[in-house]
Amino acid sequence: MAERTRTTGRRAATRDRNAKAGGAARAAAKRVTDEAAAVTRPERLVVEKPPPDPDYPRYRVEPGSRLRLADVDPEESEHYRRKKDVADGLRQQRERIADLQARLYAEKARSLLIVLQAMDTGGKDGTVKGVFQGVNPQGCQVWSFKAPSNEEADHDFLWRYHQKLPPRGMIHIFNRSHYEDVLIVRVKGLVPEETWRPRYHAINQFEHALTLAGVTVLKFMLHISKDEQKRRLENRLANPDKRWKFRLDDLKERALWDDYQRAFEDAVSECTTRHAPWYVVPANKKWYRNLVVARTIADTLAAMDPRYPPAEPGLDKVVVPD
Ligand code: AMP
Ligand code: MG
């Protein structure tokens, strides 16, 4: 009897200690998550008089809300009418990104992951080209994900993405991403629902773990209309230099347009979080899309506030010998 009481007492003490440690771990995680939530709503930190111009916060999908793509007009461009209206603004945002990226690289403490998703012809490649011009290629890498190789397919679905995450100091852009595993994979029925359904949860945990490790996660869905896709596919067919981009399979995907829109709505609604929000950006007008994405990235980097490391002490007196 006495032995049992002692054992029970010891177990209770262990439980107490574990609970305390668990509480401390949760509190520490919450602090980092709260900081990330502030950084990924950057207008509150870096825009003096919101809303910013362009008004990117309106495209952020808040956690707990349900995205309806029919409610986002792909033609939207606010007060901008034509490409030349955004030229100066876009140049400014590119310069900000280049400057902040240089600081992030030198600081070598944190990193930025940018996820780009869209329907076929939605403009992922064009966004990379239009927004990251002028950024030092040494600090910025693009990873394009195709259908998984046999080796990749033999691992858990996140395995191949994990290997391409940005190390400290780097910006990595995912041109397609782990979201394909709840998009094409779902729409084409490549795995059963009991396999893809839990992935939203796995993705949220994955992105949360990244956040805790100092990776800021920013996700853009470039939203085009079905008519615009038709125009862009026709343009690829008509233009000899663009034909290589056209695949007959693109028409099969286009036939599944509504299924894809539903899959996008679910993926974005399930996986827009405080620390890793989704932005659904009107993308029929390529120049407006570039401006919105560039400003969102520039403000997010500014909110991260990367700093050049301090110089070694005593450099003031250093003379470089002949
Ligand atoms: P593109 O981006 O046009 O070069 O095409 C890449 C192709 O890879 C598209 O057809 C994608 O849907 C496909 N793809 C990308 N990720 C996956 C994935 N996880 N599973 C199956 N197909 C994928
Ligand atoms: Mg394609």
Side-chain angles (χ1 to χ4, degrees), residues 119-189:
M119 299 293 286
D120 283 329
T121 75
K124 301 185 303 298
D125 298 334
T127 302
V128 172
K129 195 167 137 192
V131 171
F132 288 91
Q133 277 172 41
V135 172
N136 183 347
Q138 188 145 271
C140 182
Q141 263 188 58
V142 185
W143 296 102
S144 299
F145 293 97
K146 314 286 177 187
S149 68
N150 288 343
E151 189 190 20
E152 288 168 344
D154 281 341
H155 286 83
D156 76 276
F157 79 101
L158 290 170
W159 184 73
R160 64 172 180 160
Y161 307 104
H162 215 133
Q163 298 174 63
K164 306 301 184 196
L165 291 172
R168 294 182 218 286
M170 294 292 291
I171 299 177
H172 281 193
I173 302 158
F174 280 6
N175 182 341
R176 301 188 191 267
S177 68
H178 44 297
Y179 283 93
E180 290 296 339
D181 296 82
V182 289
L183 291 168
I184 186 169
V185 166
R186 164 180 168 172
V187 170
K188 298 295 231 18

Side-chain angles (χ1 to χ4, degrees), residues 176-215:
R176 301 188 191 267
S177 68
H178 44 297
Y179 283 93
E180 290 296 339
D181 296 82
V182 289
L183 291 168
I184 186 169
V185 166
R186 164 180 168 172
V187 170
K188 298 295 231 18
L190 302 182
V191 300
E193 176 164 358
E194 69 213 51
T195 304
W196 60 256
R197 180 71 64 183
R199 286 180 176 175
Y200 300 121
H201 182 64
I203 288 173
N204 286 338
Q205 291 195 321
F206 173 59
E207 292 178 358
H208 192 222
L210 298 183
T211 302
L212 297 182
V215 184

